[in-house]
Structures are given as structure tokens and as C-alpha cells.
Amino acid sequence: MNTRAPLPVAAFALLLSGCSVIAPKLETPKLSIVNVELVKSDLFEQRLRARIKVENPNDRELAVKGITYTIEVGGEEFGRGISGSSFTVPRLGEAEFDMNVTANMTGTLMRLATRARESGRTPDSVDYRIDGTVSLATGMLRSMPFEERGTFKLR
């Protein structure tokens, strides 16, 4: 019987428990769409600029180096991409940044219009979902997945 086996297991368990103290648990930041504006459009592709607000519920600032994302509007995939904008969200604070979105709105809008016609009403707001990963520039935790839902008014 090997009496040395418990020592490496105990050392590994101690190391793991120490990592939880060294790498504090971070809460996922909350992202929401503040505004969306059309930058360029043709029949097959639209380029939009989405203004995103990031709320940091943590007691330490988050140095963001980029975000990958997918946006759904009305339950339909609207756009996806990568934002390489670096910015810092203050501890227990918020920051806003612009994100470029490339989308094919024609299919999404046609499906949403068909749904509105079938329901017999024209919506004054639309639900959205944004999910992805926030990449951090510092710390032991380098990426944080997120998912947010909300609505925005149609003008």
C-alpha cells in the first residue's frame, strides 16, 4: 500500500482552495443596448452602430479588451461579430461603448413583419437578446460569458 498518495492529493486540494482566494469570483457584467443607428445599408447587408452600456457589479474595475457577441431581435438572429474596443468599467460603475454590427435585416424584418401581421397588431417595442463573451485584459480570469435580454422602442 502506498502511504505517499494522500500527500499529493492533499497538496492539490490545498492548492485549489488557495486559488479561490487568489482568483476572486467575479459577477458577470450586465450589458444592455442603449441605441442602434443605421450607418450603411443595401439590400443584402446593413452596417449598424449599437451603443452598449456595461454595468459592473464587482468591487474591482474591469479592463475589457474585447467582446464577441450575437444579437437576436424578436427571437431571430440579427447580427454577430467581434468588438476589439478596449475600455475600462469602473468598480460598481458603468461605461458605454459603440459596437459595429453587420447584419442582414431583410430576412429578420420580413419574419418579424409576418409575425406582426399574423398576430393582428403592430408592436411598439421589440425584444432583444445579446450573448457572448467579455475578454478581460488583466487578472487570472480572462473571459466572462454573458447573456442579457431587454426591449427597445420602435420609432
Side-chain angles (χ1 to χ4, degrees):
M1 184 168 147
N2 187 350
T3 58
R4 294 182 189 192
L7 184 59
V9 171
F12 184 69
L14 185 61
L15 179 64
L16 286 179
S17 68
C19 287
S20 66
V21 173
I22 295 170
K25 183 173 178 156
L26 294 176
E27 287 185 52
T28 303
K30 297 183 181 358
L31 282 80
S32 57
I33 298 173
V34 175
N35 187 31
V36 177
E37 65 183 77
L38 184 63
V39 175
K40 182 180 175 188
S41 177
D42 63 32
L43 183 60
F44 299 106
E45 182 179 89
Q46 294 76 39
R47 294 187 187 265
L48 306 149
R49 183 173 301 117
R51 185 77 175 162
I52 306 294
K53 179 170 72 172
V54 182
E55 296 175 50
N56 179 6
N58 298 292
D59 195 21
R60 72 168 245 212
E61 70 178 20
L62 296 177
V64 176
K65 70 177 182 179
I67 296 178
T68 59
Y69 58 88
T70 301
I71 298 174
E72 291 179 4
V73 176
E76 302 287 335
E77 185 174 311
F78 181 75
R80 60 176 54 230
I82 298 171
S83 171
S85 299
S86 296
F87 58 94
T88 300
V89 186
R91 67 183 194 87
L92 303 173
E94 59 187 46
E96 291 185 5
F97 72 100
D98 289 327
M99 183 165 68
N100 294 321
V101 179
T102 301
N104 182 346
M105 291 193 304
T106 306
T108 302
L109 292 176
M110 289 176 69
R111 287 186 293 273
L112 292 174
T114 300
R115 260 195 254 156
R117 196 172 38 252
E118 289 171 354
S119 72
R121 65 178 187 89
T122 303
D124 58 350
S125 63
V126 176
D127 294 332
Y128 70 85
R129 176 178 170 260
I130 180 170
D131 72 334
T133 303
V134 175
S135 298
L136 301 175
T138 60
M140 292 184 73
L141 183 65
R142 290 303 182 126
S143 66
M144 299 174 70
F146 65 88
E147 177 183 20
E148 292 296 326
R149 296 174 184 268
T151 60
F152 59 88
K153 297 212 179 280
L154 298 174
R155 295 183 195 187

